[in-house]
Amino acid sequence: MQYQSTRNPDLSISSSEAIVRGLGPDGGLFVPESFPHADLEGWKGLSYPALAEKVLEGFLTDYDAAFLRDAAEKTYGDAFGGKAGNLVRVHDGLYALELWHGPTCAFKDYALQLMPKLLVQAKKNLGRHETTRILVATSGDTGKAALAGYAGLEGIEIEVFYPNAGTSEIQRLQMATQQGDNVAVYAVEGNFDDAQTGVKRVFGDAEVAKALEARNIRLSSANSINWGRLVPQIVYYFYSYFRLVEQGGVQWGNPVDFCVPTGNFGDILAGYYAKRMGLPVGKLICASNKNNVLTDFIRTGTYDARRTFYKTTSPSMDILISSNLERLLYHLSGSAEKVRGWMQDLAKNGVYTVDAQTLAAVQENFACACADDAQGAAQIHERFAQDGYLCDTHTAIAFCAADSCRDGAPVVVLSTASPFKFPRDVLAALGEIAPESDFAAMAALTARTGCQAPQSLKVLDSLPVRFNTVITPAEIRDAALK
Ligand SMILES: *Cc1c(COP(=O)(O)O)cnc(C)c1O
């Protein structure tokens, strides 16, 4: 299987190269040239790691099969406490695919626990021996998931930059207590944009690249446009379909709708890939918070990022430029030339409009809806009161969208974070007055609901803090050169 760029179909590279390079030379994203056909009958009884191996094999054809088996087993076995791809019935016709039983309690673990192993092996496959230094700017979830994934890996170093006072107490402690000799964490004065802009500037700094190259170090990023982060996310669509059949929620072969709380469009795009591989997917429901640029796009065909940016209680979906949409547009329009034009319009004018045919193809596969913080909070309350099901602020947005887009098919909502990662907002949604401290709020949430907080979050206030350096955005460069 070879990979093309969304802005240049003549490029043809291996999966190892796509994972090491991350981004195409033309700014395009790497996409598979075709989709392997799923063996639904053969796959339905497989364990999560065994199914992951099958899906990976189809896409990562230049990797050794024994390596993929071992990597899938090590990633999705014990690390997810036997709950990888856990599917829970909420009420008739509505299910939650709980993707937060991994080490950092958010769905990003599915990709970021595996991708580091894929990167190390890709370098071996390509005969490369440099040290890879990964820089991550994070508003919260990605930083910890990346630290946990890359910690202790040979030939890799990772530095994470988060906005000082811009994350929750839990998110900060998750990062500040990270173990491992190859990790560093910095709080940056300012907001997330200041941290992100500082990191982007370092990536574009030729002098930094040169100085590091002299020491055999190359910079790389861990963000969600890397193919190595997308491919692991395809697995749980298949896995949950098979569990839904077993639980009697759908008849074998009949379609299921998936509803996905969406930010950068990576998670929901993996669902589209599963559909292209042959999974009976009805609609993919794209759920947005008040930053509803995708809702407007799916309804009208115009992507307009020239709008107010809102900070919401579902921060991981607070995004105005949804990078992975570019991949979908390439698959649906079949034209790198068109995609290049749209992305140029976006960069230059902040807006683009796709042609009628592409829009029709988008609407054939995707439904959409958005909900604000108050609607999300009401949904947390309703699901708990009516169904005894407790969800986080991101998943709540998806439950809202599932409500407004239901068309008779069973709906699987992708539950992307543990409610205990956002205990104050969840507690407030249940009508309680939330205490100042996240840890007090976790305890209060358990007292209110009877649900237990994940152990990895509960122990955070007793772990030694390893990192408490605060730097200015200008000092990110020095940190990257260390
Ligand atoms: C990252 C994230 C999302 C959005 O996923 P995308 O792949 O960016 O669309 C949703 N919920 C949570 C909790 C996340 O961390």
Side-chain angles (χ1 to χ4, degrees):
M1 169 86 64
Q2 293 291 104
Y3 289 77
Q4 304 165 332
S5 157
T6 50
R7 301 188 198 178
N8 175 6
D10 299 331
L11 199 81
S12 179
I13 60 173
S14 67
S15 57
S16 295
E17 218 171 313
I19 287 169
V20 167
R21 281 163 66 165
L23 195 67
D26 44 12
L29 309 186
F30 294 123
V31 285
E33 63 181 0
S34 63
F35 293 95
H37 195 72
D39 172 15
L40 295 176
E41 285 291 342
W43 291 2
K44 66 183 179 192
L46 296 179
S47 67
Y48 197 97
L51 180 63
E53 180 200 337
K54 295 290 180 200
V55 172
L56 294 173
E57 248 176 29
F59 285 104
L60 307 182
T61 47
D62 62 327
Y63 281 71
D64 180 57
F67 163 80
L68 291 178
R69 180 173 324 127
D70 188 53
E73 186 56 53
K74 282 199 178 114
T75 302
Y76 300 114
D78 296 342
F80 283 76
K83 287 199 163 178
N86 195 43
L87 186 73
V88 177
R89 181 184 166 281
V90 176
H91 60 237
D92 265 353
L94 185 67
Y95 295 79
L97 171 55
E98 294 181 341
L99 299 173
W100 38 265
H101 294 287
T104 78
C105 309
F107 94 97
K108 290 186 174 66
D109 284 334
Y110 279 83
L112 282 167
Q113 285 288 305
L114 181 68
M115 179 172 127
K117 301 180 182 92
L118 298 179
L119 175 61
V120 170
Q121 186 63 30
K123 284 165 68 183
K124 285 187 189 155
N125 291 346
L126 299 171
R128 299 171 68 133
H129 301 289
E130 75 272 5
T131 296
T132 305
R133 180 172 289 178
I134 292 172
L135 306 185
V136 182
T138 179
S139 58
D141 283 346
T142 304
K144 176 59 184 183
L147 285 166
Y150 285 100
L153 285 187
E154 207 179 312
I156 311 262
E157 299 166 351
I158 176 163
E159 297 183 5
V160 168
F161 304 88
Y162 69 88
N164 193 27
T167 67
S168 75
E169 186 183 7
I170 288 182
Q171 287 175 318
R172 179 180 63 81
L173 285 175
Q174 277 189 306
M175 294 186 274
T177 59
Q178 177 65 46
Q179 295 292 309
D181 294 336
N182 63 335
V183 309
V185 177
Y186 300 91
V188 180
E189 284 170 11
N191 58 28
F192 171 61
D193 273 339
D194 297 316
Q196 169 139 290
T197 306
V199 168
K200 276 194 180 154
R201 197 168 293 146
V202 172
F203 276 123
D205 189 326
E207 265 178 50
V208 171
K210 208 170 142 202
L212 290 176
E213 198 187 325
R215 291 155 54 199
N216 201 25
I217 299 172
R218 265 174 63 119
L219 291 180
S220 179
S221 91
N223 68 25
S224 77
I225 53 179
N226 192 299
W227 175 248
R229 270 193 66 174
L230 269 181
V231 64
Q233 298 177 168
I234 299 170
V235 181
Y236 43 72
Y237 285 91
F238 284 99
Y239 191 78
S240 61
Y241 185 85
F242 300 143
R243 301 294 80 74
L244 193 59
V245 170
E246 278 174 1
Q247 294 180 20
V250 68
Q251 249 183 339
W252 181 254
N254 283 359
V256 171
D257 292 345
F258 288 91
C259 184
V260 189
T262 299
N264 216 8
F265 210 77
D267 204 7
I268 195 167
L269 182 69
Y272 173 74
Y273 287 161
K275 184 176 187 176
R276 290 290 299 265
M277 293 168 71
L279 187 69
V281 176
K283 283 272 194 267
L284 291 156
I285 303 168
C286 177
S288 299
N289 63 22
K290 198 173 177 186
N291 296 293
N292 58 358
V293 60
L294 285 167
T295 318
D296 290 344
F297 170 72
I298 293 169
R299 286 191 184 145
T300 66
T302 294
Y303 192 101
D304 192 345
R306 301 167 304 179
R307 58 176 74 206
T308 310
F309 175 85
Y310 296 104
K311 270 181 87 83
T312 73
T313 54
S314 44
S316 298
M317 300 159 70
D318 290 346
I319 284 179
L320 291 183
I321 304 286
S322 206
S323 312
N324 277 299
L325 184 63
E326 177 171 348
R327 285 188 160 105
L328 180 74
L329 296 179
Y330 178 76
H331 297 304
L332 294 180
S333 72
S335 165
E337 201 180 325
K338 281 185 184 170
V339 170
R340 206 181 320 125
W342 294 329
M343 294 306 132
Q344 274 165 4
D345 287 348
L346 181 64
K348 215 168 113 203
N349 309 317
V351 58
Y352 63 87
T353 300
V354 300
D355 58 279
Q357 237 177 336
T358 302
L359 176 60
V362 169
Q363 291 174 342
E364 199 184 304
N365 289 285
F366 292 84
C368 62
C370 56
D372 62 18
D373 284 354
Q375 291 170 310
Q379 188 68 226
I380 290 174
H381 190 271
E382 193 177 306
R383 294 283 65 77
F384 189 71
Q386 293 180 10
D387 305 318
Y389 189 76
L390 186 67
C391 73
D392 92 297
T393 47
H394 301 77
T395 309
I397 298 296
F399 275 124
C400 290
D403 253 359
S404 41
C405 296
R406 277 180 93 154
D407 60 2
V411 182
V412 172
V413 164
L414 273 64
S415 176
T416 48
S418 161
F420 286 90
K421 250 194 135 161
F422 305 92
R424 301 183 69 245
D425 290 325
V426 173
L427 201 58
L430 293 177
E432 306 288 323
I433 294 171
E436 271 300 309
S437 144
D438 276 355
F439 293 96
M442 270 200 263
L445 191 54
T446 294
R448 169 75 164 78
T449 64
C451 299
Q452 292 302 318
Q455 196 60 21
S456 63
L457 298 184
K458 266 202 296 202
V459 300
L460 276 176
D461 62 346
S462 62
L463 296 181
V465 169
R466 295 186 63 209
F467 303 101
N468 52 15
T469 312
V470 182
I471 62 175
T472 65
E475 288 168 326
I476 292 177
R477 189 177 189 270
D478 299 332
L481 278 168
K482 266 216 181 116

